[in-house]
Amino acid sequence: MSNTKHNIRQKLQGIQTSLKAPKGQTNKFGGYKYRSCEDILTALKPHLAEWGCFLTISDGIAEKGDRLFLVASAQLTDSESGEYVLTVGMAEIPESKKGMDQAQVTGSSSSYARKYALNGLFCIDDTKDPDATNDHGKGAPRTKVPSNSKKTEDLF
């Protein structure tokens, strides 16, 4: 980073351009590599210091009909000016998941929502990530969300 003053969008662009978040985890059943929220945060911290920014992540719950969603926000803030950029990631909270108690189910949804909020903010592409498309042997492939689907704010 040069000594010239940058606004938050320029700082975000600098971080997006230089951030490398490798897939540091291996799925023991499928044998594929993936990145966790922690992998992204570990890779991100030096860039935050370099560009004079900080990151905050928070969770909330949204209800739509009889479905619950974990809504995570990731906010990049310029330490000097206070300008910020905010993105949101969502994950449905299933009623139950084999081998998990309710706290673990909620925590798993939080991890996914946070990861996808960070992916959106820092332009981390997961389109080739098997974690995004693997049905773990459960049958039909996932379908894409239609372009006329509800916006995030419509869930609240």
Side-chain angles (χ1 to χ4, degrees):
M1 178 175 84
S2 67
N3 289 333
T4 60
K5 185 151 174 77
H6 294 90
N7 67 37
I8 189 63
R9 284 173 175 70
Q10 292 166 323
K11 290 181 177 192
L12 177 58
Q13 181 182 22
I15 294 169
Q16 288 174 344
T17 302
S18 60
L19 178 65
K20 303 286 184 244
K23 295 178 180 181
Q25 311 299 317
T26 303
N27 178 286
K28 61 184 172 185
F29 299 110
Y32 56 83
K33 295 278 196 182
Y34 67 97
R35 74 178 58 81
S36 67
C37 182
E38 292 78 16
D39 292 331
I40 297 168
L41 294 173
T42 298
L44 183 60
K45 287 178 183 179
H47 298 280
L48 294 173
E50 176 185 348
W51 286 94
C53 295
F54 64 92
L55 178 73
T56 52
I57 305 173
S58 60
D59 292 338
I61 303 290
E63 186 175 0
K64 186 69 171 176
D66 62 348
R67 298 168 65 187
L68 288 178
F69 294 85
L70 197 304
V71 181
S73 64
Q75 180 175 308
L76 179 71
T77 304
D78 185 320
S79 299
E80 296 174 16
S81 71
E83 290 180 302
Y84 65 89
V85 179
L86 176 78
T87 60
V88 174
M90 297 176 48
E92 186 172 3
I93 304 172
E95 287 186 33
S96 65
K97 196 165 183 176
K98 186 176 178 180
M100 291 186 177
D101 65 26
Q102 195 58 44
Q104 290 170 315
V105 170
T106 304
S108 176
S109 296
S110 172
S111 293
Y112 271 97
R114 287 174 173 222
K115 175 179 161 179
Y116 292 113
L118 291 168
N119 286 351
L121 184 58
F122 297 107
C123 291
I124 300 169
D125 188 2
D126 265 356
T127 56
K128 292 184 179 181
D129 187 345
D131 193 35
T133 58
N134 190 342
D135 68 5
H136 300 284
K138 294 181 184 163
R142 289 182 169 179
T143 58
K144 290 187 175 184
V145 176
S147 60
N148 63 350
S149 64
K150 298 263 186 208
K151 294 181 180 178
T152 302
E153 56 268 14
D154 292 340
L155 290 173
F156 299 100

